[in-house]
């Protein structure tokens, strides 16, 4: 059966008929726009592009595209995307979800996605608040943020997604901001092109419950051009710089991804003979 | 010459190496000599130390249960004898290690003290091979050919250095010599067997894994848990040969959600676990049901709630399998009755999952998963494999109706990378197109659609097995691994002149309604034996068919013995 690919010329063709339900000004519009653009720039075949998402305002994203999408359960975006990619390595797989989804309920999956290094791109849409459930503190809510639902602020310290991903040894780490869509698009393209698990920390303010646009606009700076993306130590220094929030690629390495290691494993095992049911049963006679 | 024999090996795994492997090698040696085998084991929950036991029943006919009383008991220590002495037949034989203990006088008649450790030390230089000495003694007593036992030993230790293998073979031979030199008290040679068909010997877990591979399962994800881990291990070894992937995930939630992801991508996927892991999977089970992405979940049930009795058996997850999880998420629940059924049954599980785009739960239990049993090697040419109905045509414009209303409730599915009809699968309530939609009418319509599949699944054939006497007034209705002891009990009941009918139900949800109604009509009293405390199937049968059932429950972490079933049969017949 001949298979038609689905390519598009401009972003309007990727938009689905479902109108986004996000609040005006929500940072997630920026992430969605950059994903549309990245698809066009990379000329992705929508038939072979899957966007997997978690639960939250951010989790709605695939519904607004004409790509294949999977909107699963809260916190499980990474294992779901892992299954999609390992089952069919030809697909381009993008995982998106909130900071609560990825660092609270689903926090246990992140290090394992890193150590498997499956060739998927994970965009964490970080608004430092629980958007969908209306304003509770999230793992990235900094003590200095005041939230409607939290008159006394949070008592815990906030997690830093970039620091975590560097510590977990994710093979591609970048940070972007919904206030800088061009750069966001460029880095999405880079992340998707990266062969292995790529992580993009997308600062995506919630205008309804934690409007941090001003906070970040005052602090974001591009990562200096002289930064060596293969130097983990220098990447760690960047995230620790006080008063600045760096945008750009922090780290990158080119170790083998799990799909490739599985393929090699299969080849090695099959050099002694391909599997057949008869051979399988011979072990039990 | 007996037709069948039951042999048990036991000891503390902290002080004796190879308690279980003695039993395993004995089993394979018997199987090589063409006998049918049926094994039962309990490992200590700890990885080192604690009493372990392995029981094998051999026969020159199909063996249906693990047996109740022992013809031979091999006790490595006194604790083992204390635990198992009550099960030794009055004319049974005790083999014990004189280097560790001497039993009291009551065993003088039929006991066989062997200095296992001393013999092992003398011939191989290490006491560790005392289990091989024991294997030598017992295989000599049974009259199993030395050469075939040697082959089994070599196979068992194929990854060990040559010196170890040599020492083990010497220990085996000296055990045989020891038994020859000392007078054998009783003839334990089993009647030999001539077989026309080729047989396989495998565990329930291996049979389920093999069936999955046959079905075309090419993605497996699991998290280690007793008694399901062997499925993960086997598929990690086998699937790469078939271009498939088997991964050990960080937990059961990752296992099931990655399976759903894989199946969404068009590949048949399975996960296996036991009770604790199954509890963690429930939220995602609903996701599979809601998005209509087929997956197969094996639950090798173990004992009790919480961590419970990890190494023991029970049938206590039935209610959770049928009703577990929030909302109303249609799923199918099946249960294999024996090792052969593990292979054939799981193929049906995949077939139903695929045809109806629905999650299928396959309920094994510890005793079945970890037992080894003989069955005729399957002829692989005529076992059907069904695949999901794929969407045709191109709907790149976004007008593909993923959840289109149909008479069967099943809608053609588009597969990423294949069909130019992208859609978004969501766990939110959705309309035919797949878009989120919470309107009252839509929720009702879609709920009806998803449940409609169950009506047709209930009509699928081959999910019951009727046996026993057609005309009997007393019937037994059962599920899962209890089938064997029930069948054996019915044979015994026949010998006492009692007639009993039986219906083994292999699909517990939806129930194969026609067959069950027919059976219930044909008998006056229905006994429902279950390895649980609350009588879970019994409750379901009562509420669905509005009939009184007679419960027979055992909640002890152990399978039924045929005698326990027989006692109930006699009680019911005498009372009525
Ligand atoms: C198991 C489970 N627990 C709780 C919820 C409720 N819930 C939905 S979204 C959400 C958190 C949303 O925050 P985040 O992941 O940061 O995404 P955002 O909405 O901010 O994009 C919660 C707690 C749920 N859907 N499932
Ligand atoms: S609640 Fe916040 S995150 Fe959710 S859509 Fe509104 S602005 Fe965006």
């Amino acid at each position: 059966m001949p298979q038609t690919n689905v390519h598009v010329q401009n972003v309007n063709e990727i938009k689905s008929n479902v109108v986004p339900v996000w609040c005006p000004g929500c940072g997630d519009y920026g992430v969605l726009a950059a994903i549309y653009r990245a698809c066009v720039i990379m000329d992705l075949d929508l038939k072979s592009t899957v966007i997997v998402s978690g639960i939250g305002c951010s989790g709605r994203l695939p519904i607004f595209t004409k790509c294949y999408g999977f909107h699963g359960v809260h916190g499980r975006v990474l294992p779901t995307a892992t299954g999609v990619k390992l089952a069919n390595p030809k697909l381009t797989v993008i995982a998106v979800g909130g900071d609560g989804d990825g660092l609270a309920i689903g926090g246990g999956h992140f290090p394992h996605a890193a150590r498997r290094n499956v060739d998927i791109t994970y965009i964490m849409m970080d608004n430092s608040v629980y958007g969908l459930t209306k304003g509770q503190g999230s793992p990235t809510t900094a003590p200095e943020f005041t939230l409607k639902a939290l008159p006394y602020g949070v008592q815990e310290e906030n997690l830093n997604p970039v620091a975590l991903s560097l510590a977990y040894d994710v093979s591609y780490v970048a940070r972007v901001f919904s206030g800088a869509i061009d750069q966001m698009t460029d880095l999405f393209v880079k992340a998707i092109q990266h062969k292995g698990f790529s992580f993009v920390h997308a600062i995506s303010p919630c205008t309804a419950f934690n409007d941090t646009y001003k906070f970040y606009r005052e602090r974001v700076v591009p990562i200096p051009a002289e930064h060596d993306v293969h130097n983990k130590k220098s990447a760690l220094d960047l995230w620790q710089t006080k008063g600045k929030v760096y945008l750009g690629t922090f780290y990158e390495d080119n170790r083998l991804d799990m799909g490739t290691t599985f393929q090699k494993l299969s080849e090695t095992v099959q050099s002694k003979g391909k599997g057949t049911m008869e051979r399988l049963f011979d072990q039990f006679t | 010459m007996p037709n069948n024999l039951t042999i048990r090996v036991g000891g503390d795994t902290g002080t004796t190496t190879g308690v279980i492997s003695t039993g395993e090698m004995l089993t394979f040696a018997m199987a090589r000599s063409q006998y049918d085998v049926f094994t039962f084991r309990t490992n200590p929950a700890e990885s080192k130390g604690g009493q372990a036991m392995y029981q094998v029943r051999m026969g020159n006919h199909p063996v249906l249960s693990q047996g109740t009383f022992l013809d031979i008991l091999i006790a490595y220590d006194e604790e083992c004898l204390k635990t198992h002495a009550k099960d030794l037949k009055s004319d049974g034989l005790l083999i014990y290690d004189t280097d560790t203990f001497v039993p009291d006088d009551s065993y003088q008649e039929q006991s066989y003290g062997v200095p296992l450790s001393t013999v092992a030390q003398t011939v191989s230089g290490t006491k560790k091979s005392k289990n091989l000495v024991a294997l030598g003694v017992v295989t000599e007593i049974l009259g199993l050919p030395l050469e075939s036992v040697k082959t089994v030993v070599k196979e068992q230790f194929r990854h060990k250095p040559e010196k170890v293998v040599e020492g083990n073979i010497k220990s085996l031979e000296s055990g045989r010599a020891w038994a020859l030199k000392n007078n054998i008290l009783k003839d334990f040679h089993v009647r030999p067997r001539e077989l026309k068909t080729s047989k396989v010997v495998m565990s329930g877990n291996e049979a389920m894994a093999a069936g999955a591979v046959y079905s075309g399962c090419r993605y497996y994800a699991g998290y280690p848990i007793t008694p399901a881990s062997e499925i993960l291990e086997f598929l990690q070894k086998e699937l790469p040969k078939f271009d498939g992937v088997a991964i050990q995930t960080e937990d059961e939630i990752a296992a099931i959600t990655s399976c759903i992801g894989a199946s969404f991508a068009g590949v048949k996927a399975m996960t296996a676990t036991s009770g604790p892991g199954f509890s963690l999977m429930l939220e995602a089970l609903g996701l599979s049901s809601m998005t209509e992405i087929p997956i197969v979940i094996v639950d090798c049930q173990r004992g009790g709630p919480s961590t419970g009795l990890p190494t023991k058996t029970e049938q206590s997850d039935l209610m959770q399998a049928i009703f577990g999880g929030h909302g109303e998420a249609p799923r199918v629940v099946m249960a294999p009755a024996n090792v052969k059924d593990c292979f054939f049954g799981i193929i049906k599980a995949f077939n139903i999952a695929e045809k109806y785009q629905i999650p299928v739960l396959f309920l094994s239990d510890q005793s079945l998963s970890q037992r080894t049993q003989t069955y005729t090697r399957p002829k692989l040419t005529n076992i059907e494999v069904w695949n999901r109905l794929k969407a045709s045509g191109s709907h790149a414009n976004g007008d593909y109706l993923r959840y289109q209303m149909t008479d069967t409730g099943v809608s053609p599915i588009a597969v990423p990378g294949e069909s130019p009809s992208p859609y978004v699968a969501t766990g939110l309530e959705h309309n035919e197109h797949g878009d989120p939609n919470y309107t009252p009418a839509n929720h009702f319509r879609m709920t009806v659609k998803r449940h409609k599949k169950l009506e047709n699944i209930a009509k699928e054939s081959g999910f019951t097995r009727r046996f026993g006497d057609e005309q009997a007034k007393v019937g037994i209705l059962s599920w899962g691994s209890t089938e064997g002891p029930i069948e054996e009990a019915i044979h015994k009941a026949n010998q006492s002149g009692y007639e009993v009918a039986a219906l083994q139900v292999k699909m517990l949800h939806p129930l194969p309604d026609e067959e069950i109604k027919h059976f219930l009509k044909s008998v006056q009293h229905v006994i429902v034996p279950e390895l649980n405390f609350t009588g879970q199937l019994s409750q379901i049968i009562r509420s669905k068919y509005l009939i009184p059932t007679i419960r027979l429950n055992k909640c002890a972490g152990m399978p039924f013995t045929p005698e326990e079933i027989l006692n109930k049969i006699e009680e019911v017949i005498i009372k009525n």
Side-chain angles (χ1 to χ4, degrees), chain A residues 21-28 57-58 127 129 131-132 204-209:
Chain A
V21 285
W22 294 317
C23 311
C26 174
D28 293 355
C57 295
S58 44
N127 52 12
V129 74
L132 192 71
S204 174
C206 167
T207 44
F209 301 108

Side-chain angles (χ1 to χ4, degrees), chain B residues 237-443:
Chain B
K237 176 165 77 72
E238 289 299 321
L239 276 184
K241 299 179 191 168
F242 292 84
D243 293 317
V245 168
I247 75 166
Q248 180 178 327
T249 47
E250 55 274 25
D251 56 33
E252 287 86 353
I253 300 174
I256 186 170
T257 49
S258 79
C259 283
I260 296 172
S263 181
F264 170 76
V267 171
K268 293 186 191 177
M270 176 172 98
T271 179
T273 184
S274 185
F278 180 36
S279 296
L280 291 182
M281 290 182 180
L282 285 179
E283 186 196 13
L285 171 68
L287 175 67
S288 159
S289 187
M290 188 68 154
T291 53
E292 305 189 38
I293 302 290
I295 51 164
V296 173
I297 305 162
V298 175
D299 174 12
C300 307
Q301 300 165 95
R302 61 195 223 182
S306 185
T307 308
L309 297 79
T311 57
K312 305 275 179 169
T313 203
E314 208 161 273
Q315 296 179 302
S316 46
D317 293 351
L318 182 63
M319 287 292 192
Q320 158 144 302
I322 298 175
F323 301 111
H326 60 283
E328 291 168 310
R331 81 289 304 268
V332 177
V333 181
M334 298 182 187
N338 50 47
V339 172
K340 180 181 168 191
D341 230 16
C342 284
F343 176 75
F344 287 96
I346 204 144
I347 298 172
K348 289 194 135 187
F350 273 97
N351 285 351
I352 295 289
E354 285 289 313
K355 179 172 171 186
Y356 293 95
Q357 300 178 22
I358 196 167
V360 178
L361 297 159
F362 200 64
L363 300 189
S364 171
D365 61 49
Q366 182 273 332
S367 75
L368 175 53
S369 279
Q370 296 193 324
R371 92 163 61 131
T372 334
Q373 205 179 350
T374 316
Y375 66 101
T376 306
R377 184 172 170 143
K379 283 206 183 56
L380 298 168
T381 41
N382 42 17
I383 316 169
E384 270 184 61
V385 168
W386 301 347
N387 295 304
R388 63 191 77 175
L389 178 66
K390 301 238 177 106
S392 56
S394 170
H395 301 268
N397 55 355
D399 66 357
Y400 163 54
L401 294 181
R402 163 64 185 103
Y403 301 102
Q404 188 168 33
M405 290 295 164
T406 61
D407 292 343
T408 55
V410 179
S411 329
I413 185 169
V415 172
E418 243 176 66
S419 322
S421 306
Y423 75 102
V424 179
T426 173
L428 290 172
E429 184 59 284
H430 41 260
N431 58 20
E432 283 182 84
H433 186 256
D435 298 334
N437 186 312
Y438 309 153
T439 59
N442 181 69
H443 177 47

Side-chain angles (χ1 to χ4, degrees), chain A residues 1 3-6 17-18 46-51 55 60 62-74 76 79-88 91 105 108-110 112-113 115-116 258 262 265-267 269-270 273-285, chain B residues 32 198-202 206 210 213-214 219 234 237-238 240-251 253-254 257-258 260-262 264-265 267 283-284 287 291 293 343 375 377-378 380 394 396-398 414-428 435-436 438:
Chain A
M1 186 167 60
Q3 300 293 356
T4 358
N5 291 347
V6 183
N17 303 328
V18 183
L46 302 193
K47 174 192 97 205
S48 299
T49 306
V50 181
I51 305 180
I55 298 296
R60 293 297 185 101
I63 296 169
F64 312 132
T65 75
K66 279 188 189 164
C67 301
Y68 271 99
F70 194 92
H71 181 222
V73 282
H74 192 28
R76 316 302 165 193
T80 312
T82 299
V84 173
K85 181 70 185 182
L86 289 180
N88 187 348
L91 301 174
I105 190 165
H109 302 301
F110 198 5
H112 302 281
R115 82 191 170 86
R116 287 190 190 112
M258 199 192 205
F262 265 124
L265 174 77
S266 277
E267 281 163 18
V269 173
Q270 290 183 20
K274 242 179 133 47
T276 67
M277 281 313 289
E278 293 302 340
R279 285 206 187 110
L280 189 151
F281 271 111
D282 286 344
Q283 300 171 54
F284 298 100
T285 46
Chain B
R32 280 194 167 268
S198 156
K199 297 246 175 185
V200 286
V201 196
M202 59 211 297
E206 286 163 340
V213 176
Y214 181 84
Y219 185 87
F234 184 76
K237 176 165 77 72
E238 289 299 321
K241 299 179 191 168
F242 292 84
D243 293 317
V245 168
I247 75 166
Q248 180 178 327
T249 47
E250 55 274 25
D251 56 33
I253 300 174
T257 49
S258 79
I260 296 172
F264 170 76
V267 171
E283 186 196 13
L287 175 67
T291 53
I293 302 290
F343 176 75
Y375 66 101
R377 184 172 170 143
L380 298 168
S394 170
N397 55 355
V415 172
E418 243 176 66
S419 322
S421 306
Y423 75 102
V424 179
T426 173
L428 290 172
D435 298 334
Y438 309 153

Side-chain angles (χ1 to χ4, degrees), chain B residues 38-186:
Chain B
F38 187 121
T39 72
F40 176 71
R41 66 170 79 186
T42 57
N43 297 303
E46 298 71 30
S47 54
K48 205 81 195 145
Q51 283 282 327
M53 79 89 140
Y54 188 102
Q55 181 167 316
V56 52
R57 189 170 177 206
M58 65 187 290
N60 56 4
H61 54 84
V63 183
L64 297 172
S65 78
Q66 79 270 18
T68 315
F69 297 108
L70 307 174
D71 296 284
I72 298 176
L73 171 64
I74 302 170
Y76 284 117
D77 47 48
E78 194 158 17
E79 181 65 28
C80 165
L81 178 63
K82 275 192 195 149
T83 318
H84 303 297
K86 59 175 187 339
D87 297 331
L88 189 61
K89 287 181 183 168
S90 57
D91 58 351
L93 175 67
L94 167 71
I95 298 171
Y96 65 96
D97 186 0
T98 52
D99 291 327
T100 40
F101 75 106
V102 180
D104 63 50
D105 293 346
S106 57
Y107 293 98
Q108 241 176 14
E109 287 286 298
Q110 72 278 14
S111 72
Y112 224 171
V114 189
L116 295 176
S117 309
T118 314
V119 175
Q121 178 77 42
T122 319
V123 300
S124 73
T126 166
K127 284 181 190 152
K128 272 192 178 170
S129 65
K130 68 177 177 185
N131 62 325
L132 275 303
V133 181
L135 184 69
V137 174
V138 71
T139 52
E140 183 64 45
I141 292 175
L142 297 172
L144 299 179
L146 175 62
E147 280 315 308
S148 72
V149 186
K150 270 190 186 170
T151 317
V152 169
V153 173
K154 283 182 192 151
E155 178 66 14
Q156 180 93 7
F157 296 101
R158 64 187 183 284
H159 299 305
K160 291 272 153 86
E162 211 167 294
K163 260 188 74 184
V164 175
V165 182
E166 249 170 54
N168 283 340
I169 294 284
K170 276 191 197 147
S171 304
L172 172 79
E173 287 171 341
S174 54
R176 306 255 324 188
W178 203 97
L180 263 184
K181 209 168 69 205
N182 297 270
N183 288 330
I184 292 170
L185 299 170
K186 182 173 174 291

Side-chain angles (χ1 to χ4, degrees), chain B residues 475-487:
Chain B
I476 299 182
L477 194 126
S478 60
W479 68 284
S481 68
T482 51
E483 184 198 56
I486 291 169
E487 194 166 356

